[in-house]
Amino acid sequence: MGSDGDFVPSYGGRSPERFAAGFLDAFMTQAAARIVLKQLEGLAPSSSLALGEVDLDGGRTTQRAGDHYTILKEYLEDEACRDGRQWLKGLMQKDHLLGVRVAEARVAYATEGFQWEVLQGMVPAQMHEDNGEVMREMMMMSSIDDGITE
């Protein structure tokens, strides 16, 4: 459907693909944040491990890995990611370098880590399976209803 000339409705002026891309962007942002959180989890217990960062004035600051872990964990818990760009912008306002790390991780995950070909096969297969189950359930309900009304 769609590619053979069938009409495909838009979603607020966006194509179905563009609309789905918005969902995937939010998902990739969440996945990247969880990846970074997992990386920091290994560092967080070592509170003496300093991540030597450079602040905007060029001076060195010392922020602990545990601080980044806590900031990201709390942000993930407190802020729903409906829009990846806005969520990331909010994180960068809290901790710029942590936001940059998540931004880089989401691009890397989307281009190198996520298995797009698996998704492309899974979605239609799941739909076929779900359609069959729904049809069977509806037939069962229909035959039960027919038996009751007679």
Side-chain angles (χ1 to χ4, degrees):
M1 295 186 95
S3 62
D4 60 2
D6 290 340
F7 173 74
V8 178
S10 70
Y11 294 84
R14 296 182 294 172
S15 70
E17 294 81 6
R18 173 74 61 191
F19 190 72
F23 285 111
L24 288 169
D25 177 70
F27 169 76
M28 293 292 171
T29 303
Q30 278 289 307
R34 291 172 187 264
I35 289 167
V36 171
L37 188 66
K38 195 68 175 168
Q39 292 168 345
L40 291 170
E41 195 174 71
L43 298 175
S46 304
S47 60
S48 64
L49 178 65
L51 299 178
E53 297 178 341
V54 177
D55 66 19
L56 296 177
D57 297 326
R60 286 191 80 66
T61 64
T62 303
Q63 189 160 15
R64 309 283 179 214
D67 294 342
H68 287 287
Y69 177 85
T70 302
I71 291 167
L72 185 55
K73 185 174 187 322
E74 289 175 358
Y75 194 72
L76 274 166
E77 291 170 355
D78 296 342
E79 301 295 329
C81 183
R82 291 181 183 87
D83 178 324
R85 183 177 183 272
Q86 290 301 318
W87 190 91
L88 190 58
K89 185 178 175 183
L91 178 61
M92 284 187 177
Q93 289 171 345
K94 280 190 151 323
D95 186 314
H96 183 76
L97 291 176
L98 185 57
V100 169
R101 185 169 176 178
V102 171
E104 291 172 349
R106 80 180 185 152
V107 170
Y109 183 60
T111 57
E112 300 167 18
F114 192 79
Q115 297 178 346
W116 293 100
E117 62 283 350
V118 173
L119 175 68
Q120 191 174 18
M122 287 178 80
V123 171
Q126 185 65 51
M127 287 179 178
H128 283 294
E129 185 179 322
D130 291 346
N131 286 352
E133 287 179 22
V134 168
M135 296 289 199
R136 280 189 293 281
E137 289 171 13
M138 294 308 296
M139 286 177 60
M140 297 268 299
M141 289 172 56
S142 176
S143 63
I144 290 172
D145 288 345
D146 289 345
I148 292 173
T149 57
E150 291 180 2

